Amino acid sequence: MPAHPRAHPFMPNSVPAIKAELMAALGIDSVDELFAQIPQDHRLDRPLELPPALTSEAALSRHMRSLLGRNRSCADNLSFLGGGCWHHYVPAVCDEIARRTEFLTPVWGTPSSDLGRNQAWFEFTSQLGELLDLELVALPVYSWGCAAGHAIRMASRLTDRRKILLPRYLDPERRAVIETYCEPAEMPSHLEIVEVNGDPETGRLSLDDLRTRLDGETAAIYFENPSYLGQIESDAAEIAALARRHGAETVVGVDPVSLGVLAPPAAYGADIVVGSIQPLGIHMYGGGGLGGFIASRDEPAYAHEYPALMVSIAETTHEEHIFSLALMHQCSYGSREAAKDWTGNSTYLYAIVAAAYMTLLGPEGFRELGSLIVQRSRYAASLLDGIDGITIRFRDGFFKEFVANFDDTGRTVAEINKTLLDRGIFGGIDLSARFPDLGQSALYCVTEVHEQQDLDRLAAALREVCTR
Amino acid sequence: MTAKLRRYHAAVWDEPIVMEMGVPGRRGFHFPEAEAAVRDAIGTASDLIPSTMQRQSRPELPEMSEPDVLRHYLHLSQETLGMMGISLFGTCTMKYNPRLTENLAMDSSIADLHPDQDPDTMQGTLEILANFERMLCELSGMDHFTFQPAGGADAAYTHACVTRAYHAARGELEQRNQIITSIQAHPCNPATATAAGFEVLTLMLEDNGYPSLDALKSAVSERTAALMINNPDDMGIYNPEIKEWVRIVHEAGGLCFYDHANFNGVMSKIRARELGFDACMFMLHKTFGVSKGGGGPAVGAYGCSDELADYLPGRRIVRQGDYYTLRDGGHLSVGRVREYLGNVQQVIKAYAWTRAMGAEGIREASDISVLVNNYMEKELLKVPGLTRSHPDIEGWRIEMTRYSLGKLYEDTGVTVVDVSNRMVDYGVDAPWLSHEPWIVPQPITPEAGEMWSKEDVDYWIAVLRQVCEEAYSDPDLVRNAPHNQAVHRQGPTSLDEPENWAMTWRAYQRKRATRRR
């Protein structure tokens, strides 16, 4: 132990002489005097009991690494997990930009002192707007589920209606978030959720069922393209047309990495488009890599319903470009309980990372990425489909995810996934509890990180596991 | 105390907007072609996508090579002051973000984990989260924490949702539809309460700096669902009657939520549970050393008593000896406020920060933040044109004091926004003014915390003094600031008008073309 307490590396004023100097300036003998506002009977009368301090970075690093050593990652194993958080390759440039101190550490400056950061935000919305073919893109919200929840509430306010149609085959995580945003039945502003069935043959939305659910009370139909089960919703234009006929808004959730090869939702009639920015160069972080976007046509009626912050290009007093927040008065910072929903700290660092990702890829990169994913996922499905006991549920028209059914193996997905895990493979998401009508099915996700040899290895392992 | 002012100028790159950059055919990133066996078995992508669903035209993205992309975004980072100066941004508790944890977060053991992995493969993460939950319980006296809320506002929303579920379970939700807060509570409290379906009652401040017990008593009723309040508030004033507040709200049947946005000055001194609160919130991206990212990813760690545990959102971590597993919430759970376990990597960073500090470090950080704030106050009150909010309230403030430049404005016509624009010219980050509504004219709210040295704080004070003196001697110099940034100040055009706002490049192109016609 040192003879005197050491100054803490994070606290420059923890040097005793400096503390003494500050106290002398205030004419006090003890820091305790400064807390006179807090009544004695409010005070904690003992020191906190926390694990011992690791003020040495070397010791802390070792401690953290020993704990994290118990994790097994998708990078060191072969993972087929997706469903709303996806293992895509993160370019090194994205990690470099994500770690820039000027972007990483601050909170807020003036439009002039934040010029670069705000421009990067504008480049995020501008590039995403090109992928989406839409002119109005807000800064991101917490997640895709939160974006969908806000968009549905926007649609309800736009139409002054309270009935929301959701596809039955929707990610339970996102569905749960949307339900929270729709408020329980006791609340006067409750939104009623009505499910639309999936077509058992195609896995896509059942148009027949949709026709029976849509009516003059419907605020919005929300569906995803590709859907949770991976299907490309080829009836999307018909769905949007039906919604329009009933005066309902069409809200579409989309995977942005599909947009190099798939038509953007605006092309088939979507009014509000949401989705995840995580696949745009952001690590999964165990679910901490999520971020959601909201976009629409640039019409005042839509713009005036956004809860999220919006950054606009503008001019300085000297006709230079500058970037600043628009329509601040309608967000919760501007008008408290009168605001459109609420906003706060969100995922703005990821907006910059996603901007760099979109620039790196460019139009050809997105086309290559989408093509490669479609080919490799179809290849994987075709391999699995040839294995005794495994059936691919919806064989055609999927993007990066597909449903493999294991009913005829006589084993549960849970059992199969445990055995795969022993072989260093994370099998697809177990759908059996989420959608019992799909039997023992798993949602397999294949992206550009999976090479042919990985898919062959999966097939070999499954052949072994399923036929034992 | 005389600090020499720096000769500062922001980097000026005249960096084009990325949409104007690039050359057709340039590439920044390649993906491999599908393998021959894949192509032979499957064919091309266009065979696999229904023709009606194929993209018809290429997205108009820039085409740039990899080094140019890197340099573009590096230039933008350099055109951002971004806490390279001294940021005393009040209410946000600017902290050092240890680079150890920022680097660790990029390791595949954190970065490349999928939330649906088997718990067997996430034992490290789950152990850290479980241990950190215990640490936050010790700091607050609460029994449970969830990390699902993705920011402080999301934690406030979580409380509104827990409040709904709690009263719904007792069959009282339709009756209990009001949430009480104060005008000094963060705007997210009334906003999330409304978004969750509640009516909001906002209490105004009295001369002593907080709302009166009488005002609270007349607000509570059989309709009261919850109280959402911060303490100390952003003026550095601690409400000494807070225990009585909690008693009154509980007696009326409401829940009490402690918005611990201003925890830095009172950590290790008070605990929310012992003051009677049912729930509280810590912002890990503020008090606990996690990087802010210019506004997230963030974590609003939401803590509550045993009584509210069943209402918490998301899956709960369960410890079984040395093994950690996840259990779904029961039928009372509010479900999800966001997907999965929250911003897990940020929780891991907060755990590491707390381990680096320890109990003694946390106590010392609280002491230093209050000590430096009061030192600053003493010095700042010598600055011409500056007064303290509620000047008649005697005594020391906690970790933050709100000031007014109302006198400066009356004397010179220079606003606090002008002052802010001028301060950055001296290489300090812009200060925080105040949340809406402004209850003092021309507010400014610095918070020193424990990160900034006395020399830094002296420099910041010297800059504010210099700018205020300039306002008296040469007001146009301040009104036309900044002068040392990459660009001048934003022009007067309102961005609330549809013809003026342009949230994307394509909107800008269209509107600009219309204007020129």
Side-chain angles (χ1 to χ4, degrees):
Chain A
M1 286 290 285
H4 302 288
R6 297 189 293 183
H8 193 285
F10 301 168
M11 295 192 278
N13 295 332
S14 59
V15 174
I18 294 179
K19 284 195 282 191
E21 187 187 340
L22 291 167
M23 285 195 283
L26 297 179
I28 56 171
D29 298 323
S30 156
V31 176
D32 233 26
E33 296 175 39
L34 300 176
F35 292 88
Q37 282 194 68
I38 305 177
Q40 278 303 330
D41 70 337
H42 290 207
R43 312 261 189 117
L44 179 65
D45 56 4
R46 60 167 177 81
L48 290 171
E49 289 174 16
L50 294 175
L54 296 171
T55 59
S56 149
E57 180 177 313
L60 182 60
S61 173
R62 183 159 174 167
H63 170 70
M64 294 303 292
R65 286 180 192 281
S66 80
L67 286 167
L68 292 166
R70 297 181 70 194
N71 283 348
R72 289 171 61 185
S73 79
C74 296
D76 303 328
N77 293 268
L78 186 54
S79 168
F80 296 95
L81 295 165
C85 186
W86 296 293
H87 189 196
H88 287 284
Y89 184 79
V90 174
V93 166
C94 290
D95 282 347
E96 175 76 12
I97 296 303
R99 274 194 283 201
R100 285 297 292 192
T101 284
E102 303 92 324
F103 292 147
L104 180 73
T105 59
V107 52
W108 218 255
T110 68
S112 310
S113 69
D114 273 345
L115 176 73
R117 193 268 304 265
N118 292 1
Q119 180 172 335
W121 285 351
F122 181 75
E123 295 179 353
F124 160 78
T125 58
S126 292
Q127 293 179 91
L128 192 52
E130 292 304 325
L131 282 172
L132 295 169
D133 212 359
L134 286 170
E135 286 190 348
L136 183 48
V137 183
L139 290 181
V141 297
Y142 306 129
S143 70
W144 185 356
C146 296
H150 283 305
I152 284 166
R153 292 173 64 87
M154 288 167 66
S156 169
R157 294 193 296 264
L158 279 160
T159 57
D160 199 19
R161 298 176 184 182
R162 310 202 156 272
K163 179 172 148 184
I164 306 296
L165 305 189
L166 294 183
R168 203 177 97 62
Y169 295 128
L170 179 61
D171 173 28
E173 292 279 338
R174 277 195 294 289
R175 163 82 185 240
V177 176
I178 291 170
E179 281 177 13
T180 303
Y181 277 54
C182 285
E183 308 179 30
E186 292 95 332
M187 307 309 278
S189 38
H190 165 67
L191 304 183
E192 180 199 2
I193 292 176
V194 176
E195 277 188 0
V196 180
N197 280 330
D199 183 319
E201 294 305 311
T202 65
R204 304 200 301 267
L205 211 62
S206 162
L207 288 185
D208 288 343
D209 195 46
L210 175 64
R211 286 191 187 92
T212 68
R213 311 280 180 198
L214 265 170
D215 59 25
E217 305 291 301
T218 309
I221 163 90
Y222 172 74
F223 67 96
E224 295 176 353
N225 203 1
S227 72
Y228 175 60
L229 299 183
Q231 260 59 39
I232 298 168
E233 191 55 79
S234 48
D235 294 324
E238 179 67 14
I239 296 168
L242 282 169
R244 181 150 303 131
R245 214 167 297 155
H246 288 89
E249 297 287 300
T250 298
V251 183
V252 175
V254 71
D255 175 356
V257 301
S258 72
L259 294 175
V261 294
L262 293 189
Y268 45 80
D271 298 301
I272 307 176
V273 182
V274 299
S276 176
I277 64 169
Q278 182 266 322
L280 300 174
I282 296 145
H283 294 279
M284 294 183 288
Y285 293 118
L290 304 190
F293 66 82
I294 307 175
S296 68
R297 296 184 295 279
D298 185 359
E299 294 170 9
Y302 286 91
H304 286 143
E305 294 302 335
Y306 275 69
L309 297 187
M310 289 183 275
V311 66
S312 172
I313 190 169
E315 279 187 351
T316 67
T317 50
H318 291 61
E319 296 182 357
E320 303 142 317
H321 285 321
I322 197 167
F323 308 87
S324 187
L325 297 174
L327 293 168
M328 264 302 270
H329 62 274
Q330 73 190 44
C331 81
S332 54
Y333 288 111
S335 44
R336 300 174 73 91
E337 65 268 29
K340 307 295 178 182
D341 294 352
W342 81 94
T343 190
N345 274 286
S346 178
T347 55
Y348 301 145
L349 179 65
Y350 294 160
I352 298 174
V353 178
Y357 183 86
M358 289 185 278
T359 312
L360 270 177
L361 261 62
E364 277 306 297
F366 274 98
R367 191 192 56 74
E368 279 179 8
L369 174 61
S371 302
L372 180 63
I373 288 173
V374 170
Q375 287 174 297
R376 283 189 175 159
S377 66
R378 182 63 74 98
Y379 176 76
S382 72
L383 289 183
L384 267 54
D385 210 18
I387 297 172
D388 267 357
I390 303 181
T391 320
I392 301 305
R393 269 302 291 263
F394 314 111
R395 278 194 170 75
D396 291 323
F398 52 84
F399 179 61
K400 69 185 176 194
E401 283 154 317
F402 59 86
V403 176
N405 177 276
F406 296 86
D407 283 349
D408 293 340
T409 65
R411 308 184 63 190
T412 64
V413 171
E415 289 165 354
I416 290 165
N417 280 354
K418 275 285 180 204
T419 321
L420 287 176
L421 188 56
D422 294 339
R423 290 164 167 76
I425 297 174
F426 301 166
I429 290 176
D430 187 347
L431 297 173
S432 61
R434 302 175 177 210
F435 302 109
D437 55 308
L438 297 176
Q440 287 298 323
S441 291
L443 184 67
Y444 272 77
C445 172
V446 174
T447 73
E448 77 283 4
V449 303
H450 299 97
E451 296 186 349
Q452 184 205 338
Q453 54 175 332
D454 300 323
L455 304 173
D456 292 342
R457 188 179 141 213
L458 168 69
L462 277 174
R463 196 169 289 120
E464 217 183 291
V465 168
C466 295
T467 54
R468 270 196 312 175
Chain B
M1 181 215 69
T2 44
K4 181 174 171 295
L5 297 184
R6 285 171 194 251
R7 209 159 49 80
Y8 167 80
H9 200 295
V12 188
W13 286 107
D14 277 339
E15 190 66 14
I17 294 166
V18 79
M19 310 306 281
E20 301 174 290
M21 299 174 80
V23 169
R26 279 209 182 118
R27 296 295 304 273
F29 200 82
H30 279 175
F31 293 94
E33 262 195 83
E35 295 81 353
V38 173
R39 292 201 307 272
D40 292 348
I42 298 304
T44 66
S46 55
D47 298 337
L48 303 172
I49 301 171
S51 58
T52 55
M53 294 307 294
Q54 295 191 13
R55 187 171 189 116
Q56 297 303 315
S57 58
R58 283 180 6 141
E60 297 279 323
L61 296 173
E63 297 177 68
M64 291 169 63
S65 52
E66 181 176 332
D68 292 339
V69 177
L70 178 63
R71 284 169 61 244
H72 171 67
Y73 288 99
L74 290 178
H75 286 165
L76 292 187
S77 73
Q78 292 188 338
E79 287 186 333
T80 306
L81 186 42
M83 216 173 152
M84 295 300 290
I86 300 163
S87 179
L88 307 189
F89 200 94
T91 75
C92 282
T93 315
M94 306 311 289
K95 292 234 173 183
Y96 175 60
N97 311 137
R99 291 311 190 269
L100 168 67
T101 52
E102 296 300 332
N103 289 348
L104 274 180
M106 290 289 184
D107 188 84
S108 66
S109 63
I110 296 180
D112 298 321
L113 251 58
H114 189 285
D116 283 315
Q117 279 181 217
D118 190 305
D120 275 3
T121 66
M122 299 196 286
Q123 287 299 301
T125 293
L126 296 179
E127 182 174 349
I128 290 170
L129 266 54
N131 287 345
F132 191 53
E133 185 177 351
R134 298 326 309 159
M135 289 154 79
L136 292 189
C137 287
E138 169 65 8
L139 279 157
S140 63
M142 293 293 163
D143 300 311
H144 306 273
F145 268 84
T146 174
F147 305 118
Q148 190 172 69
D154 212 19
Y157 181 63
T158 301
H159 184 70
C161 294
V162 166
T163 300
R164 285 192 318 214
Y166 171 82
H167 291 304
R170 303 155 79 91
E172 292 185 352
L173 182 54
E174 279 173 276
Q175 166 203 328
R176 294 193 178 274
N177 61 355
Q178 290 182 339
I179 284 184
I180 299 170
T181 188
S182 97
I183 195 71
Q184 271 288 72
H186 189 280
C188 74
N189 287 296
T192 56
T194 307
F198 291 101
E199 214 177 278
V200 172
L201 302 181
T202 302
L203 305 181
M204 297 299 152
L205 308 189
E206 306 286 333
D207 291 344
N208 54 10
Y210 45 90
S212 70
L213 280 171
D214 284 342
L216 177 67
K217 282 176 189 160
S218 60
V220 297
S221 71
E222 70 290 345
R223 295 179 63 192
T224 301
L227 168 74
M228 296 173 79
I229 198 90
N230 57 354
N231 192 34
D233 70 5
D234 298 351
M235 303 185 303
I237 293 172
Y238 185 89
N239 178 350
E241 294 167 345
I242 200 68
K243 281 169 106 169
E244 183 64 3
W245 278 53
V246 171
R247 195 190 61 73
I248 290 166
V249 173
H250 279 164
E251 205 170 83
L255 295 173
C256 295
F257 168 68
Y258 199 145
D259 175 348
H260 253 318
N262 299 334
F263 188 53
N264 216 50
V266 295
M267 47 189 190
S268 82
K269 308 294 191 297
I270 57 164
R271 304 205 302 171
R273 185 74 185 125
E274 284 153 6
L275 298 175
F277 284 88
D278 306 288
C280 72
M281 176 275 287
F282 294 130
M283 283 185 278
L284 305 188
H285 51 291
K286 294 187 177 173
T287 320
F288 291 85
V290 176
S291 49
K292 293 185 172 63
V299 183
Y302 176 81
C304 68
S305 64
D306 273 329
E307 197 187 4
L308 296 182
D310 289 343
Y311 305 104
L312 286 173
R315 293 191 292 174
R316 311 286 305 134
I317 299 169
V318 183
R319 180 178 186 156
Q320 297 163 334
D322 282 342
Y323 188 79
Y324 297 84
T325 186
L326 290 163
R327 142 177 91 66
D328 283 323
H331 68 285
L332 291 175
S333 162
V334 302
R336 299 279 190 280
V337 294
R338 176 201 181 273
E339 297 92 314
Y340 310 119
L341 292 175
N343 286 321
V344 171
Q345 78 281 20
Q346 307 298 63
V347 184
I348 295 172
K349 292 176 194 174
Y351 167 83
W353 181 87
T354 309
R355 289 305 312 266
M357 297 296 281
E360 177 56 24
I362 283 174
R363 186 198 59 73
E364 182 160 29
S366 157
D367 283 356
I368 288 174
S369 69
V370 177
L371 179 59
V372 175
N373 182 53
N374 285 289
Y375 167 77
M376 267 180 74
E377 181 177 313
K378 196 160 181 286
E379 296 298 321
L380 283 173
L381 290 175
K382 301 173 190 164
V383 170
L386 180 142
T387 56
R388 186 169 82 152
S389 72
H390 291 75
D392 300 334
I393 299 174
E394 295 286 314
W396 308 110
R397 299 283 168 106
I398 308 288
E399 90 293 13
M400 190 164 31
T401 303
R402 175 154 295 153
Y403 303 92
S404 169
L405 290 172
K407 181 169 185 326
L408 183 90
Y409 175 67
E410 282 168 27
D411 291 348
T412 67
V414 168
T415 68
V416 71
V417 173
D418 299 331
V419 169
S420 176
N421 268 318
R422 182 60 179 152
M423 286 181 79
V424 296
D425 276 345
Y426 291 99
V428 302
D429 288 67
W432 175 236
L433 308 184
S434 164
H435 291 296
E436 297 288 337
W438 286 4
I439 57 175
V440 301
Q442 306 296 323
I444 180 169
T445 316
E447 175 185 0
E450 76 275 14
M451 163 182 177
W452 304 102
S453 68
K454 177 176 178 294
E455 304 92 288
D456 287 336
V457 169
D458 284 340
Y459 184 80
W460 194 96
I461 294 165
V463 167
L464 184 59
R465 173 183 298 118
Q466 168 76 16
V467 172
C468 290
E469 285 169 359
E470 287 172 358
Y472 281 99
S473 62
D474 184 1
D476 279 346
L477 179 69
V478 184
R479 273 198 291 262
N480 295 325
H483 304 285
N484 300 339
Q485 293 297 313
V487 292
H488 293 83
R489 64 161 52 192
Q490 188 180 340
T493 306
S494 163
L495 296 179
D496 293 344
E497 301 304 324
E499 61 272 23
N500 297 338
W501 77 54
M503 277 46 129
T504 56
W505 180 248
R506 56 164 54 199
Y508 175 67
Q509 299 284 83
R510 176 174 62 79
K511 292 179 186 186
R512 190 172 61 172
T514 312
R515 271 201 294 275
R516 279 181 183 164
R517 226 174 272 142

